[in-house]
Amino acid sequence: TLQAILLIGLLQGIIFTFIVPPWWHNDEPTHFEYAWLMANRPGFVQAGKTDEPMRRDLAMSMFNYGYYDFYRLPPDFTTNKPVYIGASQASDPPLYYWFVSLPLRLLKSTGYNIQNYAGRLISVLIFLITIYITWKTLGELSGDGHPLQWLTTLFIALLPGLTDTMTSISNDVGAVLAFSVFLWIGISILNHGLTWKRIIGLIAILAIC
């Protein structure tokens, strides 16, 4: 049953990955920028510091995919003024962006649209891990095999709003996974008591959260 739900989640994730045009998720351009800088400009991610040639190329990709038809006025590409692509994410913790940067390190010569899809697929992987953690958590609450376990996990896998978020390039994806793991460990402690393994897991996930 779990394998079937994970397969459904994978198909749902792939559909949302490719049906939503690049950059159309909330603040996705600047989340992508953070991961791209980690992959291409180590040590460059600082508040107020930008790679202007990269931003200009990214803004052109956003323009080509209709981003500016819905979100804001397009920048003036005929001048050398700094290009605004959205609120910077440079002050955010780096863990999620490090994972997204991994495929970008291998795709440096490809277009930003291809790199966008690669980053989204990392989020899909995190989505599948979240579905698995949901299954484990509900097993702690209701017992393995209880209808509540598979019904709720399937609901999570099919929920459009959650899938839309969990297939974007956004650190919200990492936050959902981190808190899901925290719930699983916390409920395990309530059910089975403290062990060194659970204490270490709790401390680690609190730090990540």
Side-chain angles (χ1 to χ4, degrees):
T1 302
L2 173 60
Q3 291 176 352
I5 294 173
L6 287 171
L7 179 59
I8 291 170
L10 176 61
L11 293 174
Q12 175 92 326
I14 290 174
I15 289 171
F16 271 77
T17 294
F18 293 102
I19 202 172
V20 179
W23 323 120
W24 280 29
H25 288 293
N26 184 49
D27 289 334
E28 191 171 51
T30 46
H31 286 293
F32 173 82
E33 178 189 39
Y34 194 150
W36 187 93
L37 289 172
M38 292 190 76
N40 294 271
R41 304 284 191 272
F44 202 84
V45 182
Q46 298 176 20
K49 193 174 182 180
T50 61
D51 185 319
E52 284 302 324
M54 179 270 178
R55 277 202 164 193
R56 186 169 289 271
D57 290 343
L58 179 56
M60 182 58 71
S61 179
M62 294 159 61
F63 179 82
N64 291 336
Y65 280 97
Y67 176 91
Y68 293 107
D69 294 344
F70 297 95
Y71 287 92
R72 56 175 62 91
L73 291 174
D76 186 354
F77 293 107
T78 64
T79 70
N80 292 323
K81 293 181 179 179
V83 172
Y84 181 76
I85 59 172
S88 174
Q89 312 297 325
S91 61
D92 291 349
L95 184 59
Y96 167 79
Y97 300 101
W98 182 82
F99 282 106
V100 175
S101 76
L102 294 178
L104 305 187
R105 299 170 196 268
L106 304 175
L107 298 170
K108 294 181 180 181
S109 61
T110 63
Y112 287 150
N113 59 328
I114 301 299
Q115 296 183 48
N116 175 273
Y117 289 131
R120 286 182 178 182
L121 290 174
I122 294 295
S123 293
V124 172
L125 175 61
I126 295 174
F127 179 43
L128 294 178
I129 297 172
T130 302
I131 292 172
Y132 174 78
I133 297 299
T134 301
W135 175 272
K136 299 294 289 186
T137 303
L138 288 162
E140 291 287 345
L141 285 171
S142 62
D144 284 326
H146 193 282
L148 180 67
Q149 183 183 35
W150 69 264
L151 278 171
T152 308
T153 307
L154 180 61
F155 175 77
I156 291 294
L158 290 173
L159 190 62
L162 179 65
T163 306
D164 181 63
T165 296
M166 298 297 287
T167 54
S168 68
I169 299 177
S170 169
N171 58 0
D172 289 344
V173 179
V176 170
L177 174 61
F179 193 71
S180 298
V181 174
F182 168 76
L183 288 177
W184 177 33
I185 294 175
I187 293 170
S188 296
I189 290 173
L190 292 175
N191 280 351
H192 308 293
L194 286 171
T195 65
W196 282 110
K197 184 177 179 181
R198 293 192 184 104
I199 290 172
I200 293 171
L202 181 63
I203 293 172
I205 200 59
L206 281 173
I208 292 172
C209 283

